[in-house]
Amino acid sequence: TLPEIEADEDKVHQVVANLLSNAIKYSPQGGEILLAASAESGGVRITVADHGVGLCPEDAARLFNRYERAERADIERIPGTGLGLYLTKHLVELHGGSITCESAPGEGSRFSVFLPQRPVSAAAA
């Protein structure tokens, strides 16, 4: 059972939808995508993992920067502006949460979002 969290439902939906959309875009047709949520001390962890093209550590570290996209021949045909993960991170941080990416070329990516039960600003009030 997941604990209740204080969050903007539409914004959390947008976060999950963007992560799933990216997993679909960067995975082979018929590839497996995992969406999971679990209780964690003080909040909820949402994970989206795929078995897609993956990224080297240097590219994964820059994913959350504005207009950042990996420059590789195997993904240049995939449309995108480089804003999705930047905005996703912003929405997560507005909730007092955090987002990380673990990835390896050819092995896929795993995005992990932590959302606290109450945003820091709300907890301080």
Side-chain angles (χ1 to χ4, degrees), residues 86-100:
Y86 169 78
L87 294 172
T88 297
K89 180 180 180 188
H90 179 71
L91 293 175
V92 169
E93 289 176 345
L94 283 175
H95 286 86
S98 61
I99 183 170
T100 60

Side-chain angles (χ1 to χ4, degrees), residues 25-26 62-63 67-71 75-76 78-82:
K25 282 194 319 189
Y26 293 99
R62 295 191 313 263
L63 277 181
Y67 303 116
E68 191 67 47
R69 294 194 70 201
E71 295 182 21
I75 62 172
E76 67 183 15
I78 300 171
T81 62

Side-chain angles (χ1 to χ4, degrees), residues 18-92:
N18 188 59
L19 293 176
L20 286 171
S21 174
N22 279 355
I24 292 166
K25 282 194 319 189
Y26 293 99
S27 291
Q29 186 172 355
E32 182 177 288
I33 295 167
L34 168 75
L35 170 63
S38 60
E40 190 168 299
S41 179
V44 171
R45 174 131 346 246
I46 300 167
T47 304
V48 175
D50 64 60
H51 297 262
V53 297
L55 298 163
C56 66
E58 298 80 32
D59 287 337
R62 295 191 313 263
L63 277 181
F64 300 106
N65 296 337
R66 190 179 337 193
Y67 303 116
E68 191 67 47
R69 294 194 70 201
E71 295 182 21
R72 294 184 359 210
D74 62 337
I75 62 172
E76 67 183 15
R77 64 173 173 71
I78 300 171
T81 62
L83 285 174
L85 289 173
Y86 169 78
L87 294 172
T88 297
K89 180 180 180 188
H90 179 71
L91 293 175
V92 169

Side-chain angles (χ1 to χ4, degrees), residues 118-125:
R118 296 188 70 206
V120 175
S121 60

